[in-house]
């Protein structure tokens, strides 16, 4: 396992852990949604979802990602402005 | 604009809305109630002579020069201390007044050196003007009596001199230090004729005193007693340009006062809506880096980083860079290329860099320094409020009753705003000061400073922000202190009830969590009660909130607290992220994140992509790009091979320096576009010289969402404004850009970005600034957000489970290191280290509690080795009880220290903002630099070799 791969696993688990206040399925969906919206394709592709180091929620998230289509937004952080909309921002 | 003094109305404006009508010298006028006669006269062009009055401070009534006659009033009242009344009849010029004023002036002049022709304030001196105004022709007292001449000047401050000979003891400097800056460093020592301005005790000079060199005293001085050394050196300015400071996120407006191409001084602009005429030591004085000998003005290239640099012309450098980028793209694909935009550059420049990356390189691998500072603010506030911008303007603090500062050190990092905050904390004109709650591991200056003392300081264990805020929420909910009306009207009730149940659980009580947070439960309960019940509650926070593995969760916990107490949507309240860099808000607005275009629209949205594709004539990637830290990982893996970095020094500023170096070293092409050969440039193949903020037109957007013009006051030393360099590179990459001025880029931004729809260069010039959104709904911008409801939907409470960081202390690394800034330096110090600001802070120091120091045999000033699981460095120790036992603190301004050698790659779960604020370390005595420091010093020396031979 490369350092990058380990880091990606860690990141996925960390995301999942911070959604733990949700129930298992919702946390997995939120984790999957987060990864879709914020991860570069090579990062998504680098994690198969079968890694033993993945937490149950993170593993389920990658199972969701293997299904066709992207998950719907699960939090407002992943609801972005429409083309002509100016209200929301996620300025850092 | 020529060189004219900024208008001085003598006394501050009244905030009253009721008008009174009076007559001055036969002219009737109406002014707000509470206005002084002096100010009223000035509004109609009257010019009552004055010396001790200036409109940045309250009237004092000591000089007796501004006397007037008022019908029905006995004697000759001072116009500065006499408020207008309805029907008042005032005469400002009568024979009696002329005689009185001339007598007063005689006394002032009788012991003032009459060296006007050689004085640095000649023709720019209020004493000189006043003498002329009153028609002084003779001084009857002679110059043989007691006088103040021949006193030794105080030249200790590197930027200004104090010449007691020239001082008229009007005390404007003392009052400016008190009222405007709030440091109270100056005083009038002695009485009567022996009165003298003093900085602290008789043993002190300005440098050794508590003076923070903000310049307010110099600005207030009516003579040359306090004068910028640059004016003494270069002479009186002959023209001026209003522009915006390029340091922190406050975004102060300055007047750059010039003599030819020489900048003589920067003076805060009274009409600046962010700073209201105040400044700090950085913006006011630390601009000398622009002409520092280290500045690189010629492009340079090299084939590999072990070679010396070769100076080349712009055409060769740009062609070389473009060829390398195109070759890499052809060989490895678009996603092997990326860029980093700069929060120190203008909106227009950052917009072009991300446009180049997306439209020219063909990837979305663009990121910005917000990644390492406030990216959790974006995630957290968007989730809770629907939009992440700070909710208030800076003026809002004047309406606050309780101010909660968490993870921020405003007096050092945002000093001009801190002065406004301190003014509110001190109280004014009989109005009691706001109460202060500070949540910070260190006892920052705000906790206890002159006339300010925090009601509660919660010195939490680093890394436990979420636990502390949840415990505060527990108190507020379980004690019934929530604002139910606000919650039911403005927020999603289901989410609120879930959250309320969560925080009410006994395991989130202050008593239970005290073991984790180390904050005494009684103190935390009292702080929570104060915030919930003390009136308008405002929360200000900084990187002590965001730079944690739970940075985003902490931001959401803050938002929860504000919503639960109804502190959103009016002046005096709100959630206020204090942004670090001058244009970090703007850089984010401009689409600097890898997942979204300008205006916060995701790259996967087809309609948005079509908009940009049509406008730009390119095809755009629909997938998010890499964040900075992921770029470095991918570089080590070989899938990311080229980067264009404008105005960022990631090697020094980003965590885990060795990993950053490894990533940069693995790339085939690193293009650094900067003023100096910074630390990142040690690993660069192409160096493109940059321009300073004084050398360009454009706009910055400050922490209030305030878009402000930046104006070119001198020609770029490197030949091009930064956006022009990006345009050269873009065109060499095959794009066809033809921008002739930054305003044309702004027009494109407005065309493509809904929140900027109503912004034009001309409107900004006319209005001075505009706070976005500027559109059909808010044609003049929006100072306070969420006034009648949240901008998008309802407020959303989020359950924030406390998840401890994985960075753990243990026997090998028993201490927790946290990092931050100091007043005189700015971030990696590339600018401020090249100014006299280093006088105050020549090196990074490690703050350590006396007990920890004694246990290790370390004394104040001794050298110590700071080690973590990632690396080690050496620096000197400052023993202080400002930090708690078990906690150490340092700054990251100096590359010799490289504080980030020891920080880890742990980061915020949602945004990958690095966890700078929590690193487990050990500190031991040391005899010298570490191997890393020695190796790095060698590398730096080798990397900065420049072959000045003309290219063949």
């Amino acid at each position: 396992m490369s350092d990058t791969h380990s880091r990606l696993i860690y990141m996925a688990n960390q995301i999942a852990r911070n959604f733990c206040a949700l129930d298992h399925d919702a946390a997995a969906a939120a984790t999957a949604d987060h990864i879709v919206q914020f991860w570069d394709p090579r990062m998504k592709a680098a994690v198969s979802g079968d890694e033993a180091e993945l937490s149950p929620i993170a593993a389920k998230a990658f199972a969701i990602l293997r299904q066709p289509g992207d998950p719907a937004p699960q939090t407002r952080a992943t609801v972005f402005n429409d083309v002509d909309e100016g209200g929301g921002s996620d300025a850092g | 604009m020529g060189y004219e003094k900024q208008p001085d109305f003598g006394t501050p404006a009244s905030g009253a809305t009721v008008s009174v009508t009076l007559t001055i010298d036969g002219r009737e006028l109406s002014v707000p109630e509470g206005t002084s006669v002096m100010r009223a006269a000035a509004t109609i062009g009257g010019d009552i002579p004055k010396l001790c009055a200036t409109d940045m401070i309250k009237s004092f009534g000591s000089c007796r020069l501004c006397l007037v006659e008022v019908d029905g009033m006995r004697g000759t009242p001072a116009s500065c201390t006499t408020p207008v009344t309805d029907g008042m009849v005032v005469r400002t010029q009568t024979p009696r007044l002329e005689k009185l004023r001339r007598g007063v002036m005689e006394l002032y002049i009788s012991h003032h050196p009459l060296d006007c022709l050689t004085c640095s304030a000649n023709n720019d001196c209020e004493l000189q003007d006043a003498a002329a105004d009153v028609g002084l022709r003779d001084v009857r007292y002679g110059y043989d009596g007691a006088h103040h001449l021949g006193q030794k000047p105080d030249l200790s401050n590197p930027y200004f001199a104090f010449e007691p000979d020239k001082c008229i003891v009007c005390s404007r400097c003392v009052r400016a230090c008190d009222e405007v800056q709030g440091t109270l460093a100056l005083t009038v020592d002695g009485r009567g004729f022996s009165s003298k301005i003093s900085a602290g005790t008789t043993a002190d000079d300005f440098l050794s005193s508590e003076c923070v060199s903000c310049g307010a005293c110099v600005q207030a001085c009516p003579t040359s007693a306090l004068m910028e050394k640059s004016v003494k050196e270069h002479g009186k300015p002959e023209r001026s340009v209003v522009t915006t400071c390029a340091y922190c996120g406050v975004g102060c407006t300055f007047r750059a006062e010039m003599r030819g191409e020489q900048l003589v001084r920067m003076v805060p602009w009274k009409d600046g809506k962010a700073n209201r005429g105040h400044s700090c030591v950085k913006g006011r004085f630390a601009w000398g880096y622009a002409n520092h000998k280290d500045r690189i003005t010629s492009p340079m290239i090299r084939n590999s980083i072990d070679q010396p640099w070769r100076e080349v012309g712009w055409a060769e450098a740009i062609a070389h860079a473009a060829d390398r980028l195109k070759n890499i793209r052809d060989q490895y694909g678009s996603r092997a290329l990326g860029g980093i935009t700069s929060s120190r550059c203008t909106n227009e420049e950052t917009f072009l860099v991300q446009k180049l990356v997306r439209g020219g390189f063909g990837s979305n691998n663009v990121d910005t320094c917000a990644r390492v500072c406030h990216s959790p603010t974006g995630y957290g506030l968007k989730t809770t409020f629907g939009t992440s911008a700070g909710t208030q303007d800076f003026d809002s603090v004047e309406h606050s009753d309780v101010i909660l500062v968490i993870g921020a050190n405003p007096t050092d990092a945002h000093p001009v705003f801190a002065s406004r905050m301190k003014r509110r904390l001190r109280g004014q004109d009989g109005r009691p000061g706001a109460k202060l709650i500070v949540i910070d591991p260190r006892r920052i200056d705000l906790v206890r400073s002159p006339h300010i003392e925090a009601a509660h300081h919660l010195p939490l264990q680093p890394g436990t922000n979420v636990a502390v805020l949840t415990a505060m929420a527990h108190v507020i909910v379980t004690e019934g202190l929530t604002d139910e009306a606000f919650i039911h009207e403005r927020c999603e009730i289901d989410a609120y009830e879930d959250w309320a149940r969560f925080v009410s659980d006994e395991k989130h009580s202050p008593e239970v969590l005290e073991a984790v947070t180390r904050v005494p439960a009684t103190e935390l309960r009292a702080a929570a009660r104060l915030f919930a019940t003390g009136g308008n509650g405002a929360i200000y926070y900084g990187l002590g909130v965001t730079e944690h593995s739970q940075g985003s969760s902490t931001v959401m916990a803050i938002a929860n607290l504000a919503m639960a107490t109804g502190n959103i949507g009016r002046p005096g309240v709100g959630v206020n992220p204090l942004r670090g860099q001058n244009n970090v808000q703007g850089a984010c607005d401009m689409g600097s994140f890898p997942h979204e275009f300008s205006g916060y629209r995701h790259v996967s949205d087809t309609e948005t992509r079509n908009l940009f594709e049509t406008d730009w004539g390119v095809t755009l990637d629909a997938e998010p790009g890499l964040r900075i830290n992921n770029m470095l990982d991918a570089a080590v893996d070989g899938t990311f091979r080229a980067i264009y970095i404008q105005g960022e020094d990631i090697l020094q500023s980003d965590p885990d320096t060795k990993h950053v170096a490894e990533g940069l070293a693995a790339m085939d092409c690193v293009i650094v576009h900067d003023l100096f050969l910074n630390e990142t440039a040690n690993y660069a193949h192409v160096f493109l010289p940059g321009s300073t903020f004084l050398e360009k037109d454009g706009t910055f957007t400050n922490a209030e969402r305030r878009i402000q013009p930046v104006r070119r006051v001198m020609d770029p030393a490197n030949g091009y404004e930064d956006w022009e360099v990006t345009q050269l590179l873009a065109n060499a990459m095959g794009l066809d850009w033809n921008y002739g001025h930054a305003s044309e880029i702004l027009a494109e931004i407005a065309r493509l970005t809904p929140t900027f729809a109503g912004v034009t260069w001309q409107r900004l010039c006319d209005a001075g600034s505009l706070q976005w959104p500027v559109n059909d709904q808010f044609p003049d911008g929006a100072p306070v957000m969420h006034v009648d409801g949240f901008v998008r939907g309802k407020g959303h409470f989020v359950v924030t489970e406390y998840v401890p960081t994985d960075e753990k202390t243990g026997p090998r690394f028993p201490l927790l290191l946290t990092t931050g800034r100091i007043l005189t330096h700015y971030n990696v110090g590339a600018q401020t280290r090249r100014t006299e600001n280093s006088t105050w802070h020549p090196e990074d120091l490690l703050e350590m509690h006396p007990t920890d120091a004694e246990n290790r045999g370390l004394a104040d000033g001794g050298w110590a080795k700071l080690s973590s699981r990632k690396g080690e460095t050496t620096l000197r120790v400052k023993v202080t009880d400002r930090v708690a036992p078990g906690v150490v603190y340092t700054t990251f301004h100096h590359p010799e220290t490289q504080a980030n050698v020891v920080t880890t790659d742990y980061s915020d779960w949602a945004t990958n903002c690095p966890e700078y604020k929590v690193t487990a370390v050990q500190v031991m005595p040391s005899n010298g630099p570490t191997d890393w420091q020695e190796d790095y010093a060698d590398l730096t020396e080798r990397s900065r070799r420049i072959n000045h031979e003309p290219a063949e």
Side-chain angles (χ1 to χ4, degrees):
Chain A
M1 189 185 293
S2 72
D3 284 352
T4 302
H5 188 245
S6 300
R7 189 192 298 267
L8 293 171
I9 299 285
Y10 180 86
M11 285 169 61
N13 287 341
Q14 195 187 9
I15 296 163
R17 191 166 45 158
N18 277 276
F19 282 126
C20 67
L22 305 173
D23 67 47
H24 182 85
D25 288 349
T31 304
D33 170 38
H34 188 96
I35 288 170
V36 164
Q37 300 291 352
F38 298 116
W39 282 27
D40 160 87
R42 85 198 76 183
M43 294 165 65
K44 285 180 261 199
V47 181
S48 70
D50 298 328
E51 290 87 347
E53 297 83 0
L54 285 172
S55 70
I57 292 173
K60 174 105 189 252
F62 280 99
I64 293 169
L65 292 176
R66 282 200 295 269
Q67 294 165 8
D70 288 338
Q74 301 294 308
T75 71
R76 292 212 298 195
T78 51
V79 178
F80 293 87
N81 285 338
D82 291 333
V83 64
D84 55 357
E85 188 184 9
S89 91
D90 60 355
Chain B
M1 181 187 293
Y3 180 72
E4 295 161 359
K5 286 182 182 173
Q6 294 182 55
D8 185 349
F9 296 90
T11 63
S14 162
T17 52
V18 178
S19 284
V20 296
T21 299
L22 71 162
T23 303
I24 298 179
D25 295 332
R27 287 186 285 175
E28 190 174 281
L29 70 155
S30 295
V31 293
E33 191 176 34
T35 301
S36 70
V37 169
M38 174 181 281
R39 187 179 180 95
T43 60
I44 54 169
D47 189 13
I48 300 174
K50 63 184 188 301
L51 284 173
C52 73
T54 183
D55 58 13
M56 67 193 286
I57 47 180
K58 286 186 286 188
S59 58
F60 195 52
S62 81
C63 78
R64 315 311 294 172
L65 202 61
C66 69
L67 307 178
V68 292
E69 293 178 0
V70 180
D71 282 3
M73 286 183 76
R74 293 175 57 196
T76 50
S79 63
C80 63
T81 54
T82 305
V84 296
T85 56
D86 219 19
M88 181 182 257
V89 177
V90 179
R91 280 177 298 281
T92 70
Q93 309 293 339
T94 69
R96 179 166 68 143
L97 292 173
E98 286 171 8
K99 187 176 177 185
L100 283 169
R101 289 173 184 162
R102 207 172 290 141
V104 170
M105 276 309 299
E106 269 192 274
L107 290 168
Y108 273 110
I109 296 298
S110 67
H111 53 100
H112 190 83
L114 298 180
D115 58 354
C116 294
L117 287 180
T118 55
C119 178
S120 54
N122 191 23
N123 278 332
D124 195 16
C125 172
E126 293 183 43
L127 188 68
Q128 201 176 39
D129 294 344
D133 288 346
V134 304
L136 187 70
R137 299 289 173 262
D138 186 27
V139 176
R140 290 169 290 171
Y141 308 112
Y143 299 98
D144 298 331
H147 57 71
H148 297 101
L149 307 184
Q151 297 183 81
K152 188 180 171 191
D154 180 347
L155 305 176
S156 59
N157 186 292
Y159 295 119
F160 61 84
F162 174 54
E163 294 188 48
D165 286 11
K166 306 287 178 67
C167 177
I168 60 170
V169 202
C170 63
S171 85
R172 276 162 58 161
C173 55
V174 177
R175 288 177 287 137
C177 190
D178 293 359
E179 296 175 29
V180 180
Q181 167 56 29
T183 295
L184 293 90
L186 305 181
T187 189
V188 179
D189 190 28
R191 304 177 69 179
F193 191 75
S194 60
S195 299
K196 183 180 175 184
I197 299 302
S198 171
T201 68
T202 51
D204 281 316
D205 53 26
F206 269 83
L207 188 61
S208 69
S209 74
E210 292 181 352
C211 166
V212 292
S213 199
C214 68
C217 57
V218 180
Q219 195 181 346
C221 183
T223 71
S224 65
L226 283 161
M227 173 69 84
E228 298 91 347
K229 290 180 177 176
S230 56
V231 176
K232 289 176 178 287
E233 182 181 352
H234 300 297
K236 184 184 159 192
E238 44 91 21
R239 66 185 174 93
S240 63
V241 181
V242 175
T243 190
T244 304
C245 181
Y247 279 118
C248 79
V250 175
C252 296
T253 310
F254 276 90
R255 195 164 85 153
E257 299 188 350
M258 308 290 295
R259 186 159 191 85
E261 279 283 289
Q262 174 65 51
L263 178 59
V264 175
R265 64 182 169 189
M266 296 284 280
V267 180
W269 179 239
K270 289 181 186 177
D271 293 338
K273 295 186 177 69
N275 57 323
R276 302 286 182 195
H278 190 37
S279 59
C280 80
V281 64
K282 294 189 283 283
R284 178 78 153 90
F285 295 116
W287 38 265
Y289 67 87
N291 298 316
H292 193 274
K293 63 180 174 55
D294 289 351
R295 177 133 179 228
I296 306 290
T297 55
S298 298
M300 301 189 296
I301 60 174
R302 58 184 175 184
N303 285 322
S304 65
I305 60 173
D306 56 359
Q307 295 177 339
W309 287 103
R310 186 164 64 89
E311 284 186 352
V312 295
W314 275 102
E316 183 177 351
I318 293 292
H320 177 84
D323 285 348
R324 289 189 82 148
L325 291 169
K326 284 188 282 192
N327 289 339
I328 293 166
R329 186 178 59 188
D330 292 345
Q331 191 173 350
Y332 297 100
S334 294
R335 288 175 180 164
L337 282 62
I340 298 176
T341 73
S342 175
S343 295
R344 296 177 201 174
C345 289
T346 63
N347 285 321
E348 294 72 19
E349 287 162 345
T350 54
F351 185 83
L352 284 201
V353 171
Q354 63 89 34
K355 179 177 178 179
L356 171 62
V357 171
R358 298 186 202 279
F361 296 0
S363 77
N364 287 317
N365 297 327
V366 61
D367 209 356
T368 190
C369 71
R371 177 66 52 216
V372 299
C373 63
H374 267 291
S375 51
T377 291
Y379 187 92
L381 293 190
K382 185 179 176 191
T383 304
T384 48
F385 294 167
T387 188
S388 91
T391 61
Q392 313 296 120
D393 59 6
F394 289 142
D395 288 349
S396 168
V397 76
E398 291 165 17
H399 305 279
S400 298
D401 300 309
V402 181
I403 297 172
L404 193 163
V405 177
I406 173 169
N409 187 6
T411 54
D412 279 53
H414 303 87
V416 171
F417 174 68
S419 289
R420 299 185 69 182
M421 181 187 279
K422 288 201 295 185
R423 192 185 309 183
R424 178 67 202 106
L425 290 169
R426 288 195 304 272
Q428 200 173 6
D429 299 331
R431 184 182 172 209
K435 297 283 193 299
L436 174 66
I437 301 166
V438 173
I439 304 176
D440 201 291
R442 293 172 74 227
R443 194 182 65 243
I444 59 172
D445 284 350
L446 264 186
V447 171
R448 187 176 167 80
S449 58
H451 296 278
I452 291 170
E453 182 159 19
H456 305 285
H457 173 214
L458 311 185
L460 76 175
Q461 179 79 345
T464 63
N465 285 330
V466 169
V468 166
L469 292 166
T470 303
M472 288 183 72
H474 173 92
V475 175
I476 290 166
V477 172
T478 58
E479 296 188 6
L481 306 179
T482 51
D483 185 336
E484 292 294 314
F486 178 92
I487 294 164
H488 281 83
E489 183 186 338
R490 303 275 189 101
C491 303
E492 294 170 3
I493 293 304
D494 288 350
Y496 166 69
E497 289 175 349
D498 285 347
W499 174 79
R501 261 193 305 276
F502 167 79
V503 299
S504 300
D505 192 312
E506 190 54 28
K507 70 181 183 183
H508 297 131
S509 70
E511 290 74 17
V512 172
L513 287 172
E514 183 174 334
V516 173
T517 64
R518 298 193 185 177
V519 175
T522 50
E523 192 72 8
L524 191 147
R525 279 192 180 272
R529 289 170 189 145
L530 173 62
F531 184 73
T533 62
N536 282 342
I539 304 175
Y540 292 87
Y541 72 90
L543 306 186
V545 160
T546 56
E547 291 175 344
H548 287 275
S549 61
Q550 278 204 296
S552 292
S553 303
T554 310
V555 173
M556 291 189 281
I558 286 171
N560 291 337
L561 213 55
M563 290 189 290
T565 53
N567 280 309
I568 290 291
R570 64 182 184 277
V573 300
V575 173
N576 303 276
L578 292 171
R579 299 192 187 276
Q581 304 212 41
N582 54 314
N583 199 36
V584 71
Q585 174 75 53
C588 296
D589 298 340
M590 294 300 100
S592 293
F593 282 146
H595 63 273
E596 61 195 3
F597 295 111
S598 67
Y600 306 99
R601 292 158 294 175
H602 200 271
V603 294
S604 64
D605 183 71
T606 305
E607 282 188 71
T608 305
R609 228 172 35 257
N610 286 344
L611 172 74
F612 284 92
E613 287 176 337
T614 304
D615 200 273
W616 293 350
V618 295
T619 303
L620 297 169
D621 192 345
E623 287 280 354
L626 294 165
R627 295 167 173 175
I628 294 174
N629 46 341
N630 303 131
M631 290 182 202
L632 295 166
D633 291 342
V636 173
D637 292 346
T639 64
F640 185 83
R641 308 190 76 95
I643 192 165
Y644 169 40
I645 304 173
Q646 183 180 70
E648 278 291 303
D649 190 1
I650 60 171
L651 190 79
Q652 193 180 338
S653 65
D654 284 35
D656 192 0
T657 305
K658 290 178 184 172
H659 181 60
V660 178
E662 189 185 11
L664 289 168
M667 295 184 205
D668 298 326
C669 180
V670 175
I671 303 168
V672 168
H673 182 181
D674 211 299
L675 299 175
F676 305 104
L677 279 173
N678 59 20
E679 308 310 307
T680 305
N682 289 346
Y683 294 88
H685 307 89
V686 178
F687 184 86
L688 302 175
S691 54
T692 74
F693 78 110
L694 298 166
E695 300 167 341
K696 60 177 71 164
D697 285 320
T699 57
F700 291 151
T701 308
N702 77 351
E704 306 168 287
R705 296 167 278 107
R706 186 182 300 283
I707 311 161
Q708 307 191 94
V710 179
R711 294 188 176 88
R712 178 166 162 160
V713 303
M714 60 179 75
D715 289 339
N718 58 325
Y720 292 107
E721 300 184 22
D722 288 334
W723 63 265
E724 292 179 290
V725 175
T726 306
Q727 177 163 271
L728 288 172
L729 186 58
N731 286 339
M733 293 286 292
L735 302 172
D736 183 23
W737 294 1
N738 295 292
Y739 304 106
H741 186 265
S743 59
E744 296 169 22
I745 307 168
L746 182 62
E748 179 173 321
I749 293 165
R751 186 170 73 235
L752 296 171
T753 313
T755 41
F756 275 62
V759 178
T760 66
W761 179 252
Q762 192 55 51
R763 276 206 73 194
L764 287 172
C765 290
D766 293 343
S769 64
L770 294 165
Q771 285 174 273
W772 69 252
V774 186
N775 51 24
D776 290 342
Q777 189 182 355
F778 300 99
D780 297 317
V784 177
M785 297 191 94
H786 317 303
V787 173
D788 298 317
F790 286 95
V791 172
R792 301 172 93 213
K794 292 203 162 191
H796 182 73
F797 283 84
V798 177
V799 171
T800 53
E801 188 79 55
Y802 168 59
V803 179
T805 173
D806 288 323
E807 175 70 357
K808 308 288 188 193
T809 55
R812 284 177 61 213
F813 303 105
L815 305 170
L816 282 182
L817 168 73
T818 183
T819 62
R821 288 190 202 175
I822 201 159
L823 171 67
T824 48
H825 282 303
Y826 179 68
N827 273 21
V828 296
Q831 295 143 294
T832 49
R833 279 186 285 107
R834 292 180 172 95
T835 70
E836 297 292 340
N837 279 25
S838 288
T839 306
W840 286 275
H841 189 79
E843 61 188 319
D844 293 319
L845 298 172
L846 184 74
E847 291 186 3
M848 181 176 239
H849 190 272
T851 306
D852 289 327
E854 190 175 338
N855 287 343
R856 288 163 175 78
L858 285 162
D860 194 67
W863 286 94
K865 185 170 77 174
L866 173 69
S867 318
S868 76
R869 294 179 181 92
K870 282 293 177 183
E872 55 191 32
T873 187
T874 55
L875 70 176
R876 292 200 297 160
V877 170
K878 181 179 181 181
V879 177
T880 171
D881 64 1
R882 184 188 284 269
V883 289
V887 176
V888 290
Y889 168 88
T890 190
T891 49
F892 57 97
H893 302 306
H894 293 271
E896 296 80 11
T897 314
Q898 290 276 12
N900 282 318
V901 168
V902 300
T903 54
T904 71
D905 55 12
Y906 289 119
S907 63
D908 174 49
W909 66 272
T911 66
N912 292 124
C913 180
E915 190 170 51
Y916 292 108
K917 303 298 185 186
V918 186
T919 305
V921 296
Q922 179 57 292
V923 180
M924 298 302 284
S926 168
N927 291 325
T930 62
D931 291 344
W932 160 263
Q933 284 173 294
E934 288 184 343
D935 291 347
Y936 187 76
D938 288 344
L939 172 74
T940 300
E941 191 177 337
R942 278 185 281 114
S943 297
R944 293 185 181 165
R945 290 171 296 158
I946 299 174
N947 182 353
H948 294 284
E949 295 293 319
E952 292 178 6

